[in-house]
Amino acid sequence: VLGSTMIKHFAVLNKATGSQGNIFTSSRRMSDELKSLTEEPAFNVHHIPLPLDVNDEESDTRAVTTVSSIVGESGLNLLINNAGVMSQPKPGPIFVGSPGNLRQVLDTNIIGVQIITTSFLPLLKKATNAKSDLPVGCLRAGIVLE
């Protein structure tokens, strides 16, 4: 829900400013709501859904390759890394989940964020260099970590 709501806000902003561009979204499983954004005629934006599992290196590589082939030398202006999972430990003052659950949470929420950010960094740097006359922001390479 957070992802689709955020995408709608970016699309509305894009239309209000008269900008045209691409918005890439990714998830392990693409929700119907995110899929429907690709067909939303009210937005002045090209929405590209990408399958991506931050714990699968091949998936990471395919996503970076796809984005790179579309943005080319202009690079990627903004990366919002919002991947995350949550384990349901037993109630108590300390984490009582299984070691496997803890590994999954750490792999996705910490290591996955680092891997995706590092993987997309060259494309973010391209955007920074391509638009050096603009301040850093949504129109010039930025990274948002949530």
Side-chain angles (χ1 to χ4, degrees), residues 28 40 54 68 92 100 120 126:
R28 285 172 295 186
E40 180 60 58
V54 299
S68 182
F120 280 97
K126 278 184 181 182

Side-chain angles (χ1 to χ4, degrees), residues 85-92 94-98 101-102 104-105:
V85 295
M86 187 174 95
S87 181
Q88 297 295 325
K90 296 176 186 171
I94 61 170
F95 184 88
V96 191
S98 72
N101 285 347
L102 180 58
Q104 180 188 19
V105 169

Side-chain angles (χ1 to χ4, degrees), residues 11 26 28 32 60 103 108 114 130-131 139:
S26 62
R28 285 172 295 186
D32 289 338
D60 300 345
R103 274 189 202 91
T108 302
Q114 190 274 333
K131 298 178 181 176
L139 299 176

Side-chain angles (χ1 to χ4, degrees), residues 34-130:
L34 280 177
K35 284 180 190 174
S36 72
L37 291 177
T38 60
E39 300 159 5
E40 180 60 58
F43 301 143
N44 192 27
V45 69
H46 185 214
H47 172 237
I48 302 131
L50 299 169
L52 175 64
D53 181 345
V54 299
N55 296 316
D56 177 355
E57 289 182 41
E58 289 180 19
S59 173
D60 300 345
T61 301
R62 280 191 304 273
V64 172
T65 301
T66 300
V67 172
S68 182
S69 71
I70 293 170
V71 300
E73 291 304 309
S74 61
L76 183 66
N77 291 319
L78 180 66
L79 175 63
I80 299 174
N81 202 335
N82 194 37
V85 295
M86 187 174 95
S87 181
Q88 297 295 325
K90 296 176 186 171
I94 61 170
F95 184 88
V96 191
S98 72
N101 285 347
L102 180 58
R103 274 189 202 91
Q104 180 188 19
V105 169
L106 294 174
D107 282 350
T108 302
N109 298 357
I110 296 172
I111 296 169
V113 169
Q114 190 274 333
I115 289 171
I116 294 300
T117 302
T118 302
S119 297
F120 280 97
L121 201 54
L123 292 175
L124 291 161
K125 287 180 179 178
K126 278 184 181 182
T128 298
N129 295 334

